[in-house]
């Protein structure tokens, strides 16, 4: 099975622009979660989608948004980019929701990430 | 406040030596517990997880972790470290539909 793929792998934008990142989950996985990784704040949960519905959202401003399509692929959008948005953005997929449910969190498989640089 | 602490930012061990990476959490009830590894330029890979039951958990690559409720700890261990284990290790917890990571411990392996 192919793993989680993220495109693009690297991206350079300027302040004020917007950006869209894409994540294709492992075949059959219906849950996709997004994380931001920075040297200062570490790894932080952004949001989780399951079957096209946002299930959970982390503590990020409304400039960060996402969606999931019927084929489980997910996109993350950041509008009005700020310098502090420079980060590695990771997505993870799982068979069942990664943050919980009746059987506990699903095992999350991470992609290699998209490195976003905001100038 | 809920938190995950990895007290050691950087650890250096010799190849073949044993390893223990520490993780403490501050939650009202026992959360779901995970250890991930991240190699440079890569995403995270799950090493092992604890949900309930046996407090000693076996994972991939020869790693194990022990859950100690009394100490709110979930330390990762490996009896003999290989050079390929050099990476960054993250402890993570999930509770109430929220996931939090520790700051990470960078492992350097000396030949």
């Amino acid at each position: 099975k192919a793993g989680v793929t993220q495109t693009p792998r690297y991206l350079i934008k300027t302040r004020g622009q917007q950006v869209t990142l894409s994540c294709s989950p492992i075949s059959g996985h219906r849950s996709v979660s997004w994380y931001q990784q920075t040297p200062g704040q570490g790894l932080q949960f952004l949001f989780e989608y399951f079957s096209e519905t946002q299930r959970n959202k982390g503590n990020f401003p409304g400039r960060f948004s996402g969606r999931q399509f019927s084929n489980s692929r997910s996109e993350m959008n950041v509008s009005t980019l700020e310098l502090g948005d420079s980060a590695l953005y990771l997505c993870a997929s799982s068979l069942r929701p990664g943050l919980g449910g009746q059987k506990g969190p699903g095992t999350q498989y991470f992609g290699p990430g998209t490195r976003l640089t905001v100038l | 406040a809920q938190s995950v602490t990895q007290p050691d930012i950087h650890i250096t061990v010799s190849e073949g030596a044993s390893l223990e990476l520490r993780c403490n959490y501050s939650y009202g009830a026992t959360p779901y517990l995970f250890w991930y590894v991240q190699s440079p330029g890569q995403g995270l890979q799950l090493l092992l997880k604890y949900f309930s039951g046996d407090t000693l958990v076996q994972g991939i690559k020869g790693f194990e972790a022990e859950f100690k409720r009394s100490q709110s700890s979930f330390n990762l261990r490996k009896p003999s470290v290989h050079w390929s284990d050099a990476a960054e290790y993250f402890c993570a917890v999930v509770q109430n539909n929220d996931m939090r990571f520790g700051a990470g411990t960078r492992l350097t392996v000396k030949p």
Side-chain angles (χ1 to χ4, degrees), chain B residues 30-91:
Chain B
T30 300
Y32 299 107
L33 297 159
F34 304 82
W35 273 101
Y36 288 91
V37 61
Q38 185 178 35
S39 298
Q42 302 293 316
L44 302 174
Q45 182 181 25
L46 179 67
L47 289 174
L48 45 78
K49 61 186 178 184
Y50 174 78
F51 285 6
S52 63
D54 192 348
T55 57
L56 187 62
V57 181
Q58 301 298 319
I60 63 171
K61 303 185 179 187
F63 286 93
E64 66 178 27
E66 185 172 13
F67 168 63
K68 292 186 177 179
R69 185 189 306 276
S70 61
Q71 298 177 20
S72 296
S73 69
F74 188 54
N75 294 348
L76 182 72
R77 302 194 294 246
K78 187 169 185 178
S80 177
V81 169
H82 188 262
W83 64 266
S84 60
D85 294 324
E88 187 144 23
Y89 292 79
F90 293 92
C91 179

Side-chain angles (χ1 to χ4, degrees), chain A residues 9 35 37 43-45 55-56 88 90 96 98-101 103-105 107-108 110-112, chain B residues 32 34 36 38 41-46 49 51 88 90 94-102:
Chain A
R9 292 292 311 277
Y35 300 86
Q37 185 175 25
L43 276 156
Q44 294 182 281
F45 167 70
R55 292 188 78 248
N56 296 292
L88 179 68
L90 296 164
R96 61 176 191 266
L99 293 198
K103 297 182 181 179
T107 297
Q108 296 190 66
F110 283 78
Chain B
Y32 299 107
F34 304 82
Y36 288 91
Q38 185 178 35
Q42 302 293 316
L44 302 174
Q45 182 181 25
L46 179 67
K49 61 186 178 184
F51 285 6
E88 187 144 23
F90 293 92
V94 171
Q95 190 179 63
N96 298 328
N97 294 316
D98 181 41
M99 185 168 194
R100 301 200 180 191
F101 292 84

Side-chain angles (χ1 to χ4, degrees), chain A residues 15-118:
Chain A
R15 278 181 301 174
Q17 288 187 309
Q18 75 165 17
V19 67
T20 299
L21 312 181
S22 180
C23 173
S24 293
I26 292 172
S27 178
H29 285 192
R30 294 163 61 191
S31 175
V32 173
S33 299
W34 288 89
Y35 300 86
Q36 181 196 64
Q37 185 175 25
T38 61
Q41 299 298 317
L43 276 156
Q44 294 182 281
F45 167 70
L46 278 157
F47 29 66
E48 176 191 31
Y49 287 86
F50 183 77
S51 294
E52 302 179 65
T53 301
Q54 187 180 89
R55 292 188 78 248
N56 296 292
K57 189 176 192 301
N59 189 25
F60 277 80
R63 300 186 297 107
F64 291 82
S65 63
R67 58 178 176 168
Q68 187 179 34
F69 302 95
S70 58
N71 62 357
S72 294
R73 189 177 70 85
S74 178
E75 288 182 347
M76 191 192 93
N77 185 275
V78 188
S79 62
T80 319
L81 283 166
E82 301 177 358
L83 295 179
D85 297 333
S86 294
L88 179 68
Y89 290 89
L90 296 164
C91 85
S93 77
S94 53
L95 278 171
R96 61 176 191 266
L99 293 198
Q102 289 185 339
K103 297 182 181 179
T107 297
Q108 296 190 66
Y109 296 85
F110 283 78
T114 293
R115 172 75 63 185
L116 172 64
T117 301
V118 182

